[in-house]
Amino acid sequence: MITASLEVTGLSCRRGGRPVFEGLSFGLAGGELLALTGRNGSGKTTLLRALALLVTAEAGRIRWQGEDVGRDREAWRRRIAWLSHLDGLKGDLSVRENLSVAARLRDEPADRIGQALASFELEPLARREVRTLSAGQRRRVALARVAAAHAPVWLLDEPLNALDAPSQAALRAVLGRHLAAGGLAIAATHAPIDVAGARALELGR
């Protein structure tokens, strides 16, 4: 039996004074992806934001390797790579500059940027300002930023948004390599993400 690297126990969150989910528990080991499914408003984004410590849970605990992540919030944030439903890119910077700035902000080496650009076929666009890109291209840049991070935990909010079929295949390949290397991921999605090690958690049932 594999001991989970990430353990969520009894997690409850409210939004606008109303419960979104209550008593949620699950565990994830390295090499696993948890796909969060459910209708709009079921709490998928709220759960991701709670895991990223961007919102405060009403009850419950989040543990990494047995330690409560709230005890050292900055250490936990360095262990996660976050993809919002918004791309969070600087439009006046180039594709490569966006990834370089992200690495500097995380105080990480930039050694993965080249591979991340190649994985999402962004090398021809590397010098283009992000504001000149299409929605799908910007999404690929945001995903490349995640792939370039030295983070064992990926939190992805609708990662397939705006991606065409080849880009979806690229994402599956990148996710597969991350999981094979011992990383784990949690993704809110309305579409299947078919990679080895994936399982689903339906919210709002």
Side-chain angles (χ1 to χ4, degrees), residues 103-142:
R104 287 199 296 271
L105 289 174
R106 292 177 63 91
D107 195 23
E108 292 179 345
D111 57 320
R112 298 188 182 185
I113 288 177
Q115 182 181 356
L117 291 173
S119 295
F120 289 99
E121 298 183 348
L122 289 167
E123 292 166 307
L125 305 175
R127 296 185 179 182
R128 285 261 303 272
E129 291 183 351
V130 163
R131 61 181 175 81
T132 69
L133 303 180
S134 70
Q137 289 169 336
R138 291 195 299 271
R139 197 62 171 168
R140 284 155 54 197
V141 176

Side-chain angles (χ1 to χ4, degrees), residues 8-122:
V8 175
T9 308
L11 201 67
S12 300
C13 283
R14 288 179 173 267
R15 184 173 58 224
R18 297 183 179 182
V20 181
F21 51 79
E22 295 181 295
L24 189 63
S25 298
F26 60 86
L28 277 179
E32 292 185 317
L33 179 144
L34 183 66
L36 305 177
T37 65
R39 300 186 66 179
N40 292 339
S42 61
K44 300 186 297 296
T45 295
T46 299
L47 175 54
L48 288 175
R49 289 177 62 83
L51 293 172
L53 304 183
L54 297 174
V55 298
T56 302
E58 183 179 58
R61 289 191 174 183
I62 305 165
R63 295 185 179 91
W64 172 254
Q65 304 288 36
E67 295 291 331
D68 193 316
V69 301
R71 291 182 179 176
D72 191 341
R73 299 169 73 90
E74 289 306 313
W76 172 239
R77 286 177 175 138
R78 287 193 295 272
R79 293 187 175 105
I80 64 175
W82 164 254
L83 176 78
S84 171
H85 68 282
L86 301 174
D87 296 323
L89 303 169
K90 296 291 186 181
D92 58 341
L93 297 181
S94 72
V95 169
R96 183 179 291 276
E97 286 170 340
N98 266 278
L99 271 61
S100 297
V101 167
R104 287 199 296 271
L105 289 174
R106 292 177 63 91
D107 195 23
E108 292 179 345
D111 57 320
R112 298 188 182 185
I113 288 177
Q115 182 181 356
L117 291 173
S119 295
F120 289 99
E121 298 183 348
L122 289 167

